[in-house]
Amino acid sequence: MAKPLSLADRIAQSKKENENKEELNKEKRLIRSLDEPQNHKIFKQGSGQGQVNSTQYRPNIDTVSTLDQLNIRSESGLHPVSNIGSRSGLYPVSSNTITETVLAPQQQRVYEWFLTNGLTGYFNKGIISRDTGINTPTIRKCLTKLKKLSLIQTDKYDPVSRQQKYKLNTNIKVTLIPGSGIGPVSTQGLISGIGQVGVRSTSYKIDRKINNNLSIYLKNSKFWQNQGLTEKKLISWINEIDHCDSDYLYQQLQFAEAISHVKQADNPINYFYKSILKSGFTRPKGFKLPEERAAILRQEEIKRRENFLKLQEENRKKEQELADRESFLAFLGDKQTVESAIKEIEKQFISSNMKISIKTYRDKNNIDSRLERYLRRIFFSKS
């Protein structure tokens, strides 16, 4: 006898059955809408390459739902059996692999960003958001969809460099809808057929700020300028070597310039290139980068100011002590003021020894230490 299903299992099974029915209904509606003739919607269906003529309008259907239905699951819900376009004659039939697809506007903008930055490279969701104007959560969803369609492969996020490596799949033809991309980037010639992609040779690894530092350094380095090293050569290295980015190259060039055997090499540029292909140069003994030297100078300046302020405070404290002593001595020299202070002391409860000190002052005009302490207390309490 089979074990009865739990409540959670029954709910999950019911939900799955409903989802499968819903998916099948969406698929039928989609195929029906594609097969039905519509005004001003003209599709070329004979070539099997998904080409759309210049007067084409997109069908009035939910784009996101269309993309979600690109893979039609079998009855078991486990294996993709075909793509939807093959049933309507728009795309070639495939048993397991998608060969053509259409992206939603935001997905297309993200995809075009990758195209303009090369078939392989590095990316950061924040940079994509800045360049496309799409918020980060939406970019994350778009990337999930692109990976699901096998349009892109990404490595794990590197917390040190704060970026991920990516690789585009050129075996899938993407039909780009004019006006849905990132604006100034031209899509003409980007997708000309399966495996034929024309892109600009820009690399995301060239960060704007670091690349600016690299360019400034190269222009001001007499050694590398005399060797004939150009910014174009540096960019080609960045695009060629996986572990080489602008920050790394900027650091290595400064290390190499401070190493004697690099300067004495027959071809310093070639020697440098071979070194960064492997592990690069270690920091020379006693070498400091410009930003490190600047930090040391700032630290020395802060310490100098601290010492200056400390000296001023000590001088001020000594001046105050001297002024207090001078004022108190002037107070003791004024007999009328001292006598007035002694009368205030007498109004309080005083010991016999204090009475003797007061009598001694009045008889001999001498102030002993006991009386001076009382007078000092009164003087500074009133001030």
Side-chain angles (χ1 to χ4, degrees):
M1 183 176 179
K3 184 179 178 180
L5 296 176
S6 65
L7 177 60
D9 291 337
R10 291 200 300 273
I11 293 174
Q13 183 177 5
S14 175
K15 185 177 180 182
K16 184 177 180 180
E17 291 174 356
N18 292 335
E19 286 179 351
N20 290 337
K21 291 177 182 178
E22 225 176 277
E23 196 172 306
L24 185 59
N25 290 334
K26 284 184 180 180
E27 176 192 341
K28 290 179 179 179
R29 288 198 300 269
L30 175 61
I31 295 173
R32 193 181 302 117
S33 65
L34 291 173
D35 289 335
E36 288 176 359
Q38 300 182 32
N39 294 332
H40 307 294
K41 297 179 178 60
I42 306 172
F43 294 82
K44 290 185 179 180
Q45 301 183 6
S47 63
Q49 294 297 321
Q51 299 177 346
V52 184
N53 75 350
S54 59
T55 61
Q56 172 192 351
Y57 290 97
R58 299 181 69 187
N60 294 325
I61 56 177
D62 183 5
T63 308
V64 177
S65 299
T66 303
L67 294 170
D68 289 338
Q69 299 297 331
L70 280 171
N71 286 332
I72 303 173
R73 298 183 180 273
S74 62
E75 292 182 1
S76 62
L78 296 176
H79 307 288
V81 296
S82 66
N83 64 40
I84 294 171
S86 63
R87 296 193 179 187
S88 60
L90 286 173
Y91 309 115
V93 177
S94 173
S95 60
N96 289 307
T97 307
I98 299 174
T99 58
E100 299 186 28
T101 186
V102 179
L103 298 176
Q106 289 182 328
Q107 294 168 356
Q108 178 174 316
R109 290 170 70 185
V110 173
Y111 182 70
E112 285 184 6
W113 186 93
F114 285 105
L115 285 177
T116 59
N117 284 276
L119 295 179
T120 62
Y122 295 81
F123 74 96
N124 177 287
K125 296 182 185 71
I127 299 296
I128 299 177
S129 177
R130 182 192 66 190
D131 293 344
T132 62
I134 303 173
N135 59 53
T136 303
T138 303
I139 291 173
R140 190 179 295 111
K141 292 179 182 178
C142 291
L143 285 173
T144 301
K145 191 64 184 179
L146 293 178
K147 286 189 281 188
K148 185 177 179 182
L149 296 173
S150 300
L151 289 173
I152 189 171
Q153 293 178 346
T154 62
D155 290 346
K156 290 183 179 179
Y157 177 76
D158 183 2
V160 178
S161 62
R162 297 183 179 179
Q163 58 188 10
Q164 291 175 261
K165 189 175 181 179
Y166 74 88
K167 181 179 181 181
L168 294 179
N169 180 11
T170 59
N171 293 323
I172 300 177
K173 181 179 178 182
V174 180
T175 301
L176 300 182
I177 307 300
S180 300
I182 57 179
V185 179
S186 174
T187 60
Q188 182 178 3
L190 285 177
I191 304 295
S192 55
I194 299 176
Q196 300 176 3
V197 182
V199 297
R200 295 187 298 179
S201 59
T202 307
S203 173
Y204 167 73
K205 292 193 292 180
I206 308 175
D207 180 83
R208 287 178 174 84
K209 182 178 179 182
I210 297 297
N211 187 47
N212 185 47
N213 290 340
L214 186 61
S215 177
I216 293 173
Y217 166 75
L218 186 61
K219 289 178 182 177
N220 290 278
S221 173
K222 292 182 179 180
F223 172 72
W224 292 117
Q225 285 287 338
N226 292 336
Q227 299 301 321
L229 184 62
T230 63
E231 189 174 346
K232 184 178 179 180
K233 174 66 71 176
L234 297 179
I235 293 174
S236 70
W237 290 347
I238 292 172
N239 289 327
E240 175 188 351
I241 305 171
D242 287 341
H243 64 269
C244 179
D245 56 20
S246 301
D247 195 7
Y248 173 77
L249 202 55
Y250 176 54
Q251 182 191 72
Q252 287 293 302
L253 284 169
Q254 294 177 81
F255 286 175
E257 189 174 352
I259 298 174
S260 59
H261 63 264
V262 176
K263 291 183 175 181
Q264 295 170 3
D266 295 336
N267 189 336
I269 293 179
N270 190 39
Y271 186 91
F272 176 83
Y273 173 73
K274 290 180 179 179
S275 298
I276 62 173
L277 275 176
K278 299 176 182 178
S279 56
F281 300 97
T282 57
R283 179 188 289 263
K285 187 177 181 180
F287 176 83
K288 290 181 177 62
L289 294 168
E291 53 268 28
E292 293 172 338
R293 291 196 295 270
I296 292 172
L297 291 175
R298 285 196 300 269
Q299 187 179 24
E300 291 176 351
E301 176 63 17
I302 291 172
K303 189 174 181 180
R304 186 193 66 78
R305 291 171 61 188
E306 285 180 345
N307 292 335
F308 175 72
L309 292 175
K310 184 179 179 181
L311 182 61
Q312 281 190 320
E313 290 172 354
E314 290 176 352
N315 291 338
R316 178 59 183 159
K317 187 176 180 180
K318 289 179 180 179
E319 289 175 354
Q320 288 176 344
E321 290 175 355
L322 291 173
D324 289 343
R325 289 169 62 184
E326 289 174 353
S327 299
F328 183 64
L329 289 175
F331 166 75
L332 294 180
D334 189 342
K335 293 183 179 180
Q336 185 178 357
T337 307
V338 172
E339 183 62 32
S340 176
I342 290 175
K343 288 180 180 180
E344 289 187 16
I345 295 173
E346 288 177 330
K347 291 178 183 180
Q348 304 172 8
F349 175 78
I350 57 175
S351 64
S352 56
N353 290 334
M354 187 63 195
K355 291 179 180 179
I356 293 173
S357 297
I358 294 174
K359 186 176 183 304
T360 301
Y361 168 74
R362 285 173 175 166
D363 293 343
K364 298 181 179 182
N365 200 27
N366 291 329
I367 301 175
D368 61 15
S369 58
R370 184 183 297 108
L371 180 58
E372 184 177 331
R373 284 196 301 272
Y374 272 81
L375 291 173
R376 183 183 295 276
R377 191 181 306 164
I378 291 173
F379 175 76
F380 286 106
S381 63
K382 288 185 176 182
S383 62

